[in-house]
Amino acid sequence: MKFKQSKHPFYILLLICIVIVGCIQSGKANQKKQKLQQEKSFTIEDQILAAEKNYKLLVNNARKANNIPRSLEKNAIKWIHNGFDWTEGFFPGSLWYIYELTNNEKWKKEALYFQELNFDDRFASSHDLGFVFQCSYGNSFRLTKAEQNKTALIDASNALIGRFNEAVGCIKSWDVDSGWQQQRGWQYPVIIDNMMNLELLFETSLLTGEDKYKDVAISHANTTLKKHFREDNSSYHVVDYDSITGVLRSKQTAQGHAHNSSWARGQAWGLYGFTVCYRYTKKPEYLTQAKKIADYILSNSTVAKENIPYWDYNAPNIPNEPKDVSAATITASALIELSQYADKKYLDKAKSIIETLSTDEYFAKPGTNGNFLLKHSVGSIPHGAEIDVPLNYADYYYLESLVRLRKL
Ligand code: GLY
């Protein structure tokens, strides 16, 4: 009896140990399997192949239409080569990135064809000339060194600095004498997005040896740094100035949820813009600002957990609000560059964002989504425009991220 009592618990204990060890082993095996699956589900090379498949179909359609695709509207492609459109440089820019990623001359031919459609817009009266011409002709010049790109880049830069006002210290964003902007009572609105047009000016100073372009860019960045940011390092969308005295009139939004909310793409534009300003000037205040914006974005609970933000960090009905993939791709690309000047944590986050965007939830199968790469972006909710659709600029910054990641 004594013998039986002591032996019985021993066998039970042994059995428990075997079960625990077995569970641990099988847990480890599962983790390994999951990790292998994750690694398998995202490789840059696979994403390049997938991008080529989609864009081959999109280019075929664009050739037939002789036009530039921007988005999808009621399941049909929204074409934009019909006067100036701020997004018209992204499609040729994406084709330049696919060329860079594949080295296939076919993509270069297509990029040249579609950027040429925009050539006459280089004199447009718009703050967005930097988006249009840097993304297309700027990439073209970077990759081919072809002299003919210079005309487009220099003409566009001259038109862009023509919108600079010494008293304000910024390039003017929207004109206020027509359209919905006329209703807002603004005099000299400057939007955070405008930080993205400065890269063209820095490049044109390098191209021409003339400081006037970069001087405007630096003044614009300095004023934006002083006036656009809140205590928590989020930014207002629109800051309006008195066009004669340069005095600040109001801080508002146009595409965000509220004047005091953080429109997700606006935060991404600011992050990208100040990172670029640091690239060209090495001014520490720009790097500090870029890091502050990055930390603000990374501290958002949705970004921290799911990588892709809602369209506005303060949208009222989260989690029942649309996500904005365009904000995620711009953020990822900017974080990759920022990580080269700062903490590696920014690179880890960028990789994680791109990995999420490369899953079936966000990355479209060929023949769907109008053959754009990414689903689920937002143009402007307050304007009821482009909600939960593909956008050519979301694709552009995704491809730019692949280029940047592969270079690392
Ligand atoms: N720059 C316009 C936008 O981000 O919607």
Side-chain angles (χ1 to χ4, degrees), residues 131-153:
F131 272 122
V132 171
F133 284 90
Q134 186 55 32
C135 296
S136 53
Y137 286 86
N139 276 314
S140 176
F141 187 65
R142 181 175 64 81
L143 292 169
T144 67
K145 297 284 168 269
E147 286 290 308
Q148 59 263 39
N149 291 297
K150 286 187 181 174
T151 309
L153 294 168

mmCIF file of all heavy atoms in Angstrom, residues 131-153:
data_model
loop_
_atom_site.group_PDB
_atom_site.id
_atom_site.type_symbol
_atom_site.label_atom_id
_atom_site.label_comp_id
_atom_site.label_asym_id
_atom_site.label_seq_id
_atom_site.Cartn_x
_atom_site.Cartn_y
_atom_site.Cartn_z
ATOM 1 N N PHE A 131 5.036 67.585 -56.920
ATOM 2 C CA PHE A 131 4.514 66.216 -56.993
ATOM 3 C C PHE A 131 4.620 65.711 -58.436
ATOM 4 O O PHE A 131 5.144 64.639 -58.699
ATOM 5 C CB PHE A 131 3.023 66.198 -56.622
ATOM 6 C CG PHE A 131 2.721 66.034 -55.159
ATOM 7 C CD1 PHE A 131 1.970 66.987 -54.482
ATOM 8 C CD2 PHE A 131 3.129 64.902 -54.466
ATOM 9 C CE1 PHE A 131 1.637 66.817 -53.140
ATOM 10 C CE2 PHE A 131 2.806 64.725 -53.123
ATOM 11 C CZ PHE A 131 2.058 65.693 -52.461
ATOM 12 N N VAL A 132 4.080 66.500 -59.356
ATOM 13 C CA VAL A 132 3.942 66.024 -60.725
ATOM 14 C C VAL A 132 5.310 65.816 -61.375
ATOM 15 O O VAL A 132 5.586 64.758 -61.948
ATOM 16 C CB VAL A 132 3.091 67.015 -61.566
ATOM 17 C CG1 VAL A 132 3.119 66.636 -63.044
ATOM 18 C CG2 VAL A 132 1.665 67.044 -61.042
ATOM 19 N N PHE A 133 6.168 66.827 -61.264
ATOM 20 C CA PHE A 133 7.400 66.762 -62.066
ATOM 21 C C PHE A 133 8.544 66.020 -61.372
ATOM 22 O O PHE A 133 9.325 65.344 -62.034
ATOM 23 C CB PHE A 133 7.782 68.163 -62.558
ATOM 24 C CG PHE A 133 6.880 68.551 -63.685
ATOM 25 C CD1 PHE A 133 5.686 69.216 -63.448
ATOM 26 C CD2 PHE A 133 7.177 68.174 -64.985
ATOM 27 C CE1 PHE A 133 4.807 69.512 -64.477
ATOM 28 C CE2 PHE A 133 6.310 68.454 -66.034
ATOM 29 C CZ PHE A 133 5.113 69.128 -65.774
ATOM 30 N N GLN A 134 8.641 66.104 -60.047
ATOM 31 C CA GLN A 134 9.699 65.355 -59.375
ATOM 32 C C GLN A 134 9.442 63.844 -59.486
ATOM 33 O O GLN A 134 10.365 63.066 -59.714
ATOM 34 C CB GLN A 134 9.816 65.793 -57.910
ATOM 35 C CG GLN A 134 10.982 65.163 -57.157
ATOM 36 C CD GLN A 134 12.319 65.388 -57.828
ATOM 37 O OE1 GLN A 134 12.561 66.414 -58.475
ATOM 38 N NE2 GLN A 134 13.208 64.421 -57.715
ATOM 39 N N CYS A 135 8.179 63.441 -59.339
ATOM 40 C CA CYS A 135 7.874 62.000 -59.354
ATOM 41 C C CYS A 135 8.067 61.393 -60.749
ATOM 42 O O CYS A 135 8.391 60.214 -60.870
ATOM 43 C CB CYS A 135 6.447 61.736 -58.884
ATOM 44 S SG CYS A 135 6.206 62.235 -57.163
ATOM 45 N N SER A 136 7.859 62.186 -61.786
ATOM 46 C CA SER A 136 8.005 61.642 -63.145
ATOM 47 C C SER A 136 9.368 62.045 -63.722
ATOM 48 O O SER A 136 10.307 61.240 -63.741
ATOM 49 C CB SER A 136 6.850 62.133 -64.022
ATOM 50 O OG SER A 136 6.731 63.552 -63.969
ATOM 51 N N TYR A 137 9.501 63.299 -64.128
ATOM 52 C CA TYR A 137 10.768 63.741 -64.756
ATOM 53 C C TYR A 137 11.950 63.668 -63.782
ATOM 54 O O TYR A 137 13.074 63.458 -64.186
ATOM 55 C CB TYR A 137 10.607 65.156 -65.310
ATOM 56 C CG TYR A 137 9.783 65.195 -66.583
ATOM 57 C CD1 TYR A 137 8.403 65.280 -66.532
ATOM 58 C CD2 TYR A 137 10.397 65.136 -67.836
ATOM 59 C CE1 TYR A 137 7.636 65.295 -67.689
ATOM 60 C CE2 TYR A 137 9.644 65.157 -69.000
ATOM 61 C CZ TYR A 137 8.259 65.239 -68.923
ATOM 62 O OH TYR A 137 7.506 65.249 -70.071
ATOM 63 N N GLY A 138 11.682 63.848 -62.504
ATOM 64 C CA GLY A 138 12.773 63.757 -61.511
ATOM 65 C C GLY A 138 13.332 62.350 -61.456
ATOM 66 O O GLY A 138 14.557 62.142 -61.469
ATOM 67 N N ASN A 139 12.448 61.352 -61.423
ATOM 68 C CA ASN A 139 12.920 59.962 -61.446
ATOM 69 C C ASN A 139 13.571 59.633 -62.781
ATOM 70 O O ASN A 139 14.557 58.894 -62.843
ATOM 71 C CB ASN A 139 11.755 58.999 -61.175
ATOM 72 C CG ASN A 139 11.516 58.829 -59.679
ATOM 73 O OD1 ASN A 139 12.465 58.643 -58.906
ATOM 74 N ND2 ASN A 139 10.264 58.891 -59.263
ATOM 75 N N SER A 140 12.995 60.183 -63.834
ATOM 76 C CA SER A 140 13.554 59.955 -65.167
ATOM 77 C C SER A 140 15.005 60.458 -65.221
ATOM 78 O O SER A 140 15.911 59.753 -65.687
ATOM 79 C CB SER A 140 12.683 60.712 -66.184
ATOM 80 O OG SER A 140 13.215 60.613 -67.461
ATOM 81 N N PHE A 141 15.229 61.659 -64.704
ATOM 82 C CA PHE A 141 16.580 62.232 -64.719
ATOM 83 C C PHE A 141 17.527 61.432 -63.815
ATOM 84 O O PHE A 141 18.667 61.146 -64.167
ATOM 85 C CB PHE A 141 16.540 63.699 -64.288
ATOM 86 C CG PHE A 141 17.875 64.383 -64.436
ATOM 87 C CD1 PHE A 141 18.438 64.568 -65.684
ATOM 88 C CD2 PHE A 141 18.578 64.818 -63.317
ATOM 89 C CE1 PHE A 141 19.690 65.176 -65.835
ATOM 90 C CE2 PHE A 141 19.817 65.431 -63.449
ATOM 91 C CZ PHE A 141 20.368 65.612 -64.707
ATOM 92 N N ARG A 142 17.008 61.038 -62.647
ATOM 93 C CA ARG A 142 17.838 60.260 -61.708
ATOM 94 C C ARG A 142 18.301 58.946 -62.358
ATOM 95 O O ARG A 142 19.447 58.540 -62.214
ATOM 96 C CB ARG A 142 17.000 59.960 -60.446
ATOM 97 C CG ARG A 142 17.695 59.178 -59.364
ATOM 98 C CD ARG A 142 16.808 59.047 -58.122
ATOM 99 N NE ARG A 142 15.599 58.279 -58.357
ATOM 100 C CZ ARG A 142 15.536 56.946 -58.371
ATOM 101 N NH1 ARG A 142 16.619 56.235 -58.142
ATOM 102 N NH2 ARG A 142 14.398 56.317 -58.597
ATOM 103 N N LEU A 143 17.398 58.310 -63.125
ATOM 104 C CA LEU A 143 17.719 56.983 -63.655
ATOM 105 C C LEU A 143 18.414 57.011 -65.007
ATOM 106 O O LEU A 143 19.160 56.093 -65.334
ATOM 107 C CB LEU A 143 16.439 56.140 -63.765
ATOM 108 C CG LEU A 143 15.803 55.751 -62.423
ATOM 109 C CD1 LEU A 143 14.413 55.160 -62.636
ATOM 110 C CD2 LEU A 143 16.691 54.757 -61.671
ATOM 111 N N THR A 144 18.153 58.051 -65.795
ATOM 112 C CA THR A 144 18.699 58.037 -67.166
ATOM 113 C C THR A 144 19.728 59.139 -67.412
ATOM 114 O O THR A 144 20.469 59.063 -68.372
ATOM 115 C CB THR A 144 17.573 58.237 -68.207
ATOM 116 O OG1 THR A 144 17.049 59.576 -68.051
ATOM 117 C CG2 THR A 144 16.450 57.228 -68.026
ATOM 118 N N LYS A 145 19.720 60.155 -66.583
ATOM 119 C CA LYS A 145 20.584 61.342 -66.749
ATOM 120 C C LYS A 145 20.315 62.061 -68.083
ATOM 121 O O LYS A 145 21.136 62.848 -68.551
ATOM 122 C CB LYS A 145 22.076 60.986 -66.633
ATOM 123 C CG LYS A 145 22.476 60.448 -65.259
ATOM 124 C CD LYS A 145 22.579 61.574 -64.222
ATOM 125 C CE LYS A 145 22.695 61.089 -62.805
ATOM 126 N NZ LYS A 145 21.437 60.918 -62.072
ATOM 127 N N ALA A 146 19.181 61.760 -68.718
ATOM 128 C CA ALA A 146 18.885 62.394 -70.015
ATOM 129 C C ALA A 146 18.641 63.888 -69.827
ATOM 130 O O ALA A 146 17.818 64.300 -69.007
ATOM 131 C CB ALA A 146 17.678 61.731 -70.654
ATOM 132 N N GLU A 147 19.376 64.687 -70.635
ATOM 133 C CA GLU A 147 19.350 66.149 -70.513
ATOM 134 C C GLU A 147 17.962 66.744 -70.727
ATOM 135 O O GLU A 147 17.612 67.759 -70.134
ATOM 136 C CB GLU A 147 20.294 66.768 -71.559
ATOM 137 C CG GLU A 147 21.769 66.608 -71.220
ATOM 138 C CD GLU A 147 22.191 67.461 -70.025
ATOM 139 O OE1 GLU A 147 21.921 68.668 -70.051
ATOM 140 O OE2 GLU A 147 22.780 66.893 -69.079
ATOM 141 N N GLN A 148 17.155 66.086 -71.590
ATOM 142 C CA GLN A 148 15.862 66.705 -71.935
ATOM 143 C C GLN A 148 14.913 66.805 -70.744
ATOM 144 O O GLN A 148 13.958 67.562 -70.776
ATOM 145 C CB GLN A 148 15.179 66.011 -73.139
ATOM 146 C CG GLN A 148 14.890 64.554 -72.966
ATOM 147 C CD GLN A 148 15.991 63.699 -73.607
ATOM 148 O OE1 GLN A 148 17.170 64.043 -73.519
ATOM 149 N NE2 GLN A 148 15.604 62.599 -74.232
ATOM 150 N N ASN A 149 15.197 66.042 -69.664
ATOM 151 C CA ASN A 149 14.357 66.161 -68.464
ATOM 152 C C ASN A 149 14.508 67.527 -67.804
ATOM 153 O O ASN A 149 13.610 67.979 -67.101
ATOM 154 C CB ASN A 149 14.746 65.096 -67.436
ATOM 155 C CG ASN A 149 14.384 63.700 -67.901
ATOM 156 O OD1 ASN A 149 13.222 63.393 -68.084
ATOM 157 N ND2 ASN A 149 15.393 62.872 -68.119
ATOM 158 N N LYS A 150 15.663 68.146 -68.024
ATOM 159 C CA LYS A 150 15.956 69.385 -67.293
ATOM 160 C C LYS A 150 14.959 70.490 -67.607
ATOM 161 O O LYS A 150 14.587 71.262 -66.728
ATOM 162 C CB LYS A 150 17.382 69.865 -67.631
ATOM 163 C CG LYS A 150 18.460 69.023 -66.978
ATOM 164 C CD LYS A 150 19.806 69.660 -67.220
ATOM 165 C CE LYS A 150 20.937 68.860 -66.612
ATOM 166 N NZ LYS A 150 22.253 69.394 -66.974
ATOM 167 N N THR A 151 14.521 70.569 -68.862
ATOM 168 C CA THR A 151 13.571 71.632 -69.244
ATOM 169 C C THR A 151 12.326 71.543 -68.378
ATOM 170 O O THR A 151 11.864 72.547 -67.810
ATOM 171 C CB THR A 151 13.150 71.463 -70.723
ATOM 172 O OG1 THR A 151 14.336 71.352 -71.474
ATOM 173 C CG2 THR A 151 12.304 72.596 -71.220
ATOM 174 N N ALA A 152 11.785 70.323 -68.269
ATOM 175 C CA ALA A 152 10.550 70.150 -67.492
ATOM 176 C C ALA A 152 10.802 70.516 -66.033
ATOM 177 O O ALA A 152 9.993 71.221 -65.410
ATOM 178 C CB ALA A 152 10.071 68.711 -67.607
ATOM 179 N N LEU A 153 11.920 70.049 -65.482
ATOM 180 C CA LEU A 153 12.183 70.269 -64.052
ATOM 181 C C LEU A 153 12.411 71.757 -63.754
ATOM 182 O O LEU A 153 11.898 72.292 -62.758
ATOM 183 C CB LEU A 153 13.399 69.442 -63.614
ATOM 184 C CG LEU A 153 13.184 67.913 -63.670
ATOM 185 C CD1 LEU A 153 14.496 67.156 -63.500
ATOM 186 C CD2 LEU A 153 12.174 67.466 -62.613
#
